[in-house]
Amino acid sequence: MGDLSKDINSKFENNRIKAMINILYTANWISAAQIEFLKPFGISPQQYNVLRILNGAGVALNVQTIKSRMIDRSPNVTRLMDKLCAKNFIERLPSATDRRVVKIKITKEGKDLLESIPKDFNHDLIKNLTESEALQLSDLLDKMR
């Protein structure tokens, strides 16, 4: 992965178009790397994100809250929860007063899984950037949104 123009063998109308294509191309590159990294742990990047949200919250959360905090707001959050529940990484806690309300909590197995995954697994993806460059990139992406 290097120069976008060479990687996808294309010329661009202008630098803004090139930047937009580069963001999409890089996002897919990051996603593919994360999928490969997490494969041995038996979870997807979205499932990893849910586990981190629950672990960081320290309390059971409703599905809507989890969905609002996700990086990739998948419409299939219920299916993600089903898979995590089947692996015993989360548990559903039905409300005693309202059966429509269900809270989600990370289990000990889910916490153990998170502990087994190196915290710095994304660092290789940004190793070519200095701290200053990473801050500049982050600021530019914030400005874009």
Side-chain angles (χ1 to χ4, degrees), residues 4 12 14-27 144:
L4 179 68
F12 300 97
N14 58 50
N15 285 329
R16 286 185 173 148
I17 299 294
K18 181 178 180 180
M20 177 62 81
I21 300 298
N22 207 339
I23 290 167
L24 294 170
Y25 188 72
T26 303
M144 182 179 160

Side-chain angles (χ1 to χ4, degrees), residues 33-71:
Q34 290 178 332
I35 288 167
E36 275 307 303
F37 180 85
L38 291 169
K39 200 179 280 184
F41 298 98
I43 61 171
S44 69
Q46 293 86 359
Q47 291 170 334
Y48 177 74
N49 190 209
V50 168
L51 291 174
R52 288 192 38 126
I53 290 166
L54 289 168
N55 195 48
V59 296
L61 299 173
N62 65 42
V63 174
Q64 209 48 42
T65 301
I66 295 167
K67 188 175 182 176
S68 73
R69 294 181 185 180
M70 289 181 70
I71 294 169

Side-chain angles (χ1 to χ4, degrees), residues 10-11 22 35 42 53 67 71 92-93 101 115 139 142:
S10 183
K11 299 256 184 248
N22 207 339
I35 288 167
I53 290 166
K67 188 175 182 176
I71 294 169
R92 290 184 171 95
L93 306 171
V101 176
E115 281 295 314
D139 288 345
D142 286 344

Side-chain angles (χ1 to χ4, degrees), residues 48-141:
Y48 177 74
N49 190 209
V50 168
L51 291 174
R52 288 192 38 126
I53 290 166
L54 289 168
N55 195 48
V59 296
L61 299 173
N62 65 42
V63 174
Q64 209 48 42
T65 301
I66 295 167
K67 188 175 182 176
S68 73
R69 294 181 185 180
M70 289 181 70
I71 294 169
D72 178 9
R73 290 185 178 89
S74 167
N76 293 324
V77 175
T78 303
R79 200 169 83 205
L80 279 175
M81 302 294 171
D82 290 344
K83 288 181 179 181
L84 288 169
C85 208
K87 295 175 184 180
N88 205 30
F89 294 145
I90 64 168
E91 63 180 314
R92 290 184 171 95
L93 306 171
S95 169
T97 57
D98 187 346
R99 62 186 199 107
R100 295 170 297 173
V101 176
V102 176
K103 299 262 182 164
I104 309 295
K105 180 182 176 193
I106 191 168
T107 62
K108 180 180 180 339
E109 290 85 348
K111 288 180 181 191
D112 290 346
L113 176 69
L114 283 180
E115 281 295 314
S116 73
I117 299 172
K119 303 285 181 269
D120 61 350
F121 79 87
N122 283 319
H123 290 198
D124 276 354
L125 300 175
I126 55 172
K127 67 183 178 206
N128 294 331
L129 298 180
T130 65
E131 277 295 311
S132 174
E133 289 169 335
L135 177 61
Q136 181 183 15
L137 176 60
S138 187
D139 288 345
L140 288 170
L141 292 170

